[in-house]
Amino acid sequence: MNRRTVRFMPDNRVVQVPEGMDLHRAAAAAGLELKSVCGGEGTCGRCAVKILEGKPEVGGGNLSPRAKKQGLVLACRTLVTDDLVVEIPADSRLADHQLADGSTGRVLAENTYDRLAEFGLSPLCRKVKVKLPEPSVTENGSDLSRLLLGLKEQGVEGDITISLDALRALPETLRQGSWDATVTLAEISCRETGPRLEIVRVEAGHSEAPPYGLAIDIGTTSNVVHLVDMSTGTVLERRGTYNRQAMYGDDVITRIIHATEEKGGLNDLRKAVVETLNGLIESALLARDLDQEEIVAAVVAGNTTMAHLFLGLWPGYIRLEPYIPAATSFPVIRAAEAGLQINPVAPVLTLPAVASYVGGDIVSGMLAIDVEEHEEVTLFIDIGTNGEMVLGNKDWMITCSCSMGPCFEGGGITFGMRAVPGAIQRLEIEPGTYEVKVTTIGGARPRGIAGTGLIDALAKLRSVGIIDRAGAFHRVPNRRWRTGAEGPEFVLVWAEDTEQGNQDIVISESDVKNLLRAKGAAYAAIRTMLQTMELPPEAISRVFIAGAFGSYLNLRDSIEIGLLPDLPPERYSFIGNSSVKGSRLALMSRVARDKAETLAHQMTNLELSEGNTFMEEFVSALFLPHTDLSLFPSVAAVPSPDANAAGAAGTAAASNEAAVGAGEAQSQAQTQVNNENEGQHS
Ligand code: FES
């Protein structure tokens, strides 16, 4: 097939693609993600690009008259039939998505924290070269029996079966290679049944190419795929994008509702995630010029709902008390059953979960660190829409999940947004003048506030005395402080300095209250686990923070607002996307695969709605940093901004207001939690 060159501007990325491929996929092959709300159907109009040079075949689709006038075409409807130069407007790209894969942010360098050497190489698939004797009238056993003998001669032990696909191709393949062949063996076994090997692919002759596999993280928000050389464990390509399931809702609860209450809903969600993954896989394969056939294994990690939706399992009882998943251990299936566009018989292993709200992503994260090896107490936290955490050491592990709401991912906050270019991720407020300095992702003009920026905002508003410990606003003599439609608010960026140019970016009192509830839930969950084990916070020797959000977190501000325990900074490590790292380990090592099963069984799930102190802890944590300041000695040591900001009379008034605000916050929180039983795990 002819190949064509496409140059994407302004990135100046060049890619060679087969003639006839659409521009959407070509961009993905160049590592550039375009928006795709409709999944490439040509109906959403979000993937508009401009052809600068060359003549492609332009199809129809839903493009606005204005866009047409600007000379734009839909990438998903435009086929590469010529060498092209294509401009991708900022509005059409998802390339600003920050890969939650550990390749960005302040993560521990992969090679300084890779447990593969400790686990040892025993990948899910390996290749064995065989040299078979030619058949004759006297040596007339079947081709398969000849192949099995050849494998035994190479020291392959155990029961060996062959996939029907490989068997169908076997006679011709063996003869093409003049009885030299390269056999890809997959380990299909589980611990209980012992090793069972299956021939998934036979190549003619002796191939030097390694077997390739995929480590996959299915997150509620983002999906990440790593292409791995399974002979060494090296990650060759990393791809990530938003989970297309987002079109059916932002959180797991709304997706479960869609799956269970809409006709064909479960299939919609299964299809959406599989399409997302296939887009990423295709892009990685194109970058390495590999065929689908060559990808012979995949390991998937995701929260329990994501695992259910990927496998098409009924998720309805996950959201209903007593929160029962269909399964926590999942069968190994074939890529064709999963719908993944790789070798159809490639085994696809989904990592086991602990419970409905502590999934395989957390088990996978625990594989990537070494809690089970250490005496010292370790805390592992994955912060997203849900906060999932594990506390433990080599003798015990408890885990829990709490709903933090969508605020730290940009939802439910007036100017909240995801961590993409233009999102404020750091800010400073000058005491006295109240001037604000913001830093955005990518240095772009501000468009909104990312979760990490919101944490900074809370800490800084508090430190200059604009909000009190209960999150109530206190008037300061500056025009940035004003009363908006929702009550008091503070202007962070004036409209003329924003990307949109038409609205000031503000943070309001109700935003602050939402943030208090989110951070309060996380801290209360940590405290509840500590109290269950009768441990003080300082007993925690190490804290691992996972997830893209963690990679950009300002540690000091997170402690100041009472989101994280007041521990010395050296006890904290940011480990990026531990879920995809654990998937890779499971892909590469039998020890890791067995350990995943063991860890899932070892962790005791603490249900926060039942028989523990979570609710009291939550109410106590709705303050900055907490009602009990002795839990935050480094914060308590700094003089209170209420005293700095006001005179003696003002201070008294402020204290009163703070006390009233505190009481109000307590009762509001209580009401919210009572009203949101289901929201425990939204
Ligand atoms: Fe929706 Fe192209 S992806 S129109």
Side-chain angles (χ1 to χ4, degrees):
M1 185 180 288
N2 281 348
R3 292 178 85 81
R4 293 289 183 180
T5 302
V6 186
R7 180 182 299 273
F8 288 99
M9 304 302 285
D11 313 79
N12 203 16
R13 286 247 191 117
V14 181
V15 68
Q16 297 253 329
V17 295
E19 203 168 281
M21 174 178 276
D22 69 65
L23 271 179
H24 205 294
R25 289 154 74 210
L32 300 166
E33 290 288 326
L34 296 180
K35 286 181 183 160
S36 170
V37 175
C38 68
E41 295 289 316
T43 54
C44 71
R46 305 295 281 278
C47 64
V49 295
K50 193 171 193 168
I51 308 298
L52 301 179
E53 280 174 36
K55 284 201 175 8
E57 188 180 314
V58 180
N62 180 22
L63 194 61
S64 69
R66 197 164 146 254
K68 278 186 191 153
K69 230 172 149 186
Q70 290 172 346
L72 298 171
V73 296
L74 291 176
C76 68
R77 303 279 102 186
T78 303
L79 305 182
V80 180
T81 48
D82 192 3
D83 292 344
L84 302 172
V85 180
V86 179
E87 181 185 314
I88 305 178
D91 264 4
S92 301
R93 59 175 69 218
L94 265 187
D96 50 12
H97 175 78
Q98 298 197 334
L99 286 184
D101 70 347
S103 62
T104 55
R106 299 168 298 174
V107 294
L108 294 177
E110 218 157 310
N111 54 4
T112 61
Y113 216 87
D114 184 354
R115 298 185 80 190
L116 189 52
E118 173 193 336
F119 291 154
L121 277 186
S122 41
L124 199 49
C125 283
R126 65 191 156 105
K127 284 191 175 182
V128 179
K129 292 175 190 160
V130 291
K131 208 169 189 37
L132 308 178
E134 264 192 59
S136 65
V137 182
T138 50
E139 294 291 330
N140 60 359
S142 70
D143 289 341
L144 178 58
S145 62
R146 198 166 295 274
L147 184 68
L148 293 175
L149 264 174
L151 285 169
K152 291 242 153 51
E153 273 167 20
Q154 293 303 313
V156 178
E157 301 283 341
D159 287 345
I160 307 172
T161 55
I162 186 166
S163 71
L164 188 55
D165 279 11
L167 185 54
R168 282 178 175 150
L170 187 64
E172 281 314 304
T173 310
L174 291 182
R175 284 161 183 85
Q176 260 172 29
S178 308
W179 304 96
D180 282 352
T182 306
V183 181
T184 303
L185 287 165
E187 184 191 292
I188 309 287
S189 68
C190 66
R191 247 185 333 176
E192 286 74 25
T193 56
R196 183 169 77 73
L197 296 171
E198 183 176 283
I199 299 166
V200 291
R201 188 169 185 238
V202 183
E203 293 164 83
H206 285 170
S207 160
E208 295 308 322
Y212 297 98
L214 302 173
I216 297 176
D217 167 46
I218 303 181
T220 310
T221 307
S222 305
N223 291 175
V224 171
V225 170
H226 284 187
L227 173 66
V228 181
D229 170 344
M230 290 173 74
S231 66
T232 59
T234 308
V235 178
L236 303 173
E237 295 290 331
R238 296 175 161 87
R239 292 290 185 276
T241 192
Y242 294 117
N243 186 340
R244 275 188 206 161
Q245 288 180 342
M247 70 179 105
Y248 301 107
D250 279 342
D251 55 60
V252 294
I253 296 297
T254 44
R255 291 189 204 165
I256 292 175
I257 291 171
H258 181 89
T260 54
E261 294 182 6
E262 296 293 325
K263 192 162 180 276
L266 180 53
N267 197 41
D268 290 342
L269 286 154
R270 201 190 61 75
K271 223 171 124 219
V273 70
V274 170
E275 280 175 5
T276 310
L277 296 176
N278 282 336
L280 298 174
I281 293 167
E282 183 182 32
S283 158
L285 296 195
L286 272 166
R288 293 277 162 172
D289 203 13
L290 295 175
D291 287 335
Q292 294 177 0
E293 281 289 305
E294 294 178 79
I295 313 298
V296 286
V299 174
V300 174
N303 65 47
T304 311
T305 302
M306 288 303 116
H308 276 58
L309 297 177
F310 171 66
L311 295 171
L313 304 178
W314 186 255
Y317 300 103
I318 288 178
R319 82 178 174 100
L320 303 174
E321 208 177 327
Y323 315 116
I324 305 297
T328 51
S329 283
F330 307 101
V332 178
I333 58 169
R334 303 308 167 131
E337 291 175 88
L340 292 182
Q341 287 167 357
I342 56 176
N343 190 312
V345 293
V348 178
L349 173 69
T350 305
L351 289 178
V354 178
S356 274
Y357 292 98
V358 180
D361 51 344
I362 299 305
V363 171
S364 190
M366 294 299 283
L367 272 184
I369 56 176
D370 54 359
V371 176
E372 80 287 355
E373 298 290 330
H374 287 262
E375 202 73 64
E376 56 194 352
V377 176
T378 302
L379 174 65
F380 169 87
I381 310 176
D382 193 344
I383 295 175
T385 310
N386 269 355
E388 287 140 356
M389 3 203 132
V390 183
L391 182 75
N393 67 7
K394 68 184 187 48
D395 299 318
W396 54 271
M397 282 181 217
I398 57 172
T399 178
C400 68
S401 164
C402 64
S403 169
M404 297 180 62
C407 356
F408 288 129
E409 298 203 328
I413 300 291
T414 318
F415 282 88
M417 65 183 286
R418 287 180 176 158
V420 296
I424 297 170
Q425 62 172 348
R426 295 263 184 282
L427 66 87
E428 298 291 333
I429 305 175
E430 184 146 326
T433 67
Y434 304 102
E435 278 316 300
V436 184
K437 229 198 258 162
V438 302
T439 308
T440 61
I441 295 174
R445 283 169 82 82
R447 291 163 53 196
I449 321 168
T452 49
L454 290 166
I455 290 173
D456 260 25
L458 264 192
K460 301 310 181 332
L461 289 172
R462 170 69 190 140
S463 72
V464 300
I466 293 169
I467 59 174
D468 63 27
R469 287 185 56 206
F473 271 52
H474 290 258
R475 185 176 290 282
V476 294
N478 190 286
R479 67 192 182 107
R480 286 181 184 270
W481 199 109
R482 68 191 189 192
T483 304
E486 305 270 313
E489 62 185 29
F490 186 77
V491 178
L492 297 176
V493 185
W494 298 109
E496 60 266 30
D497 298 323
T498 65
E499 169 71 20
Q500 300 88 334
N502 56 1
Q503 255 184 318
D504 300 331
I505 296 177
V506 302
I507 183 160
S508 69
E509 193 173 65
S510 65
D511 293 337
V512 167
K513 296 284 160 85
N514 279 340
L515 289 165
L516 282 182
R517 283 193 277 270
K519 77 93 191 170
Y523 189 77
I526 296 169
R527 277 279 289 169
T528 307
M529 289 198 297
L530 284 166
Q531 295 213 325
T532 304
M533 299 311 297
E534 299 180 353
L535 291 172
E538 53 277 14
I540 302 171
S541 300
R542 306 184 300 168
V543 184
F544 289 102
I545 300 181
F549 178 70
S551 298
Y552 295 90
L553 208 63
N554 179 331
L555 185 56
R556 185 62 221 159
D557 284 349
S558 303
I559 291 172
E560 271 178 30
I561 68 165
L563 168 65
L564 296 175
D566 194 356
L567 298 169
E570 58 276 12
R571 293 195 197 177
Y572 282 89
S573 300
F574 299 91
I575 53 171
N577 185 336
S578 56
S579 175
V580 77
K581 286 180 180 167
S583 297
R584 169 182 160 270
L585 290 170
L587 184 72
M588 291 306 304
S589 171
R590 187 180 309 128
V591 174
R593 292 190 287 280
D594 289 348
K595 204 178 261 288
E597 293 284 345
T598 310
L599 283 166
H601 285 109
Q602 261 175 0
M603 288 188 234
T604 305
N605 183 41
L606 193 63
E607 191 51 70
L608 291 179
S609 56
E610 294 300 325
N612 50 52
T613 56
F614 176 75
M615 194 48 70
E616 297 94 83
E617 290 296 340
F618 176 65
V619 172
S620 303
L622 289 172
F623 297 87
L624 294 168
H626 197 272
T627 43
D628 181 358
L629 275 179
S630 70
L631 290 169
F632 289 85
S634 78
V635 183
V638 178
S640 160
D642 302 326
N644 297 340
T651 305
S655 306
N656 276 342
E657 275 184 67
V660 171
E664 204 179 274
Q666 282 202 6
S667 79
Q668 276 176 5
Q670 190 70 56
T671 312
Q672 158 162 337
V673 172
N674 289 342
N675 287 344
E676 287 185 6
N677 269 343
E678 189 172 78
Q680 172 93 357
H681 302 292
S682 63

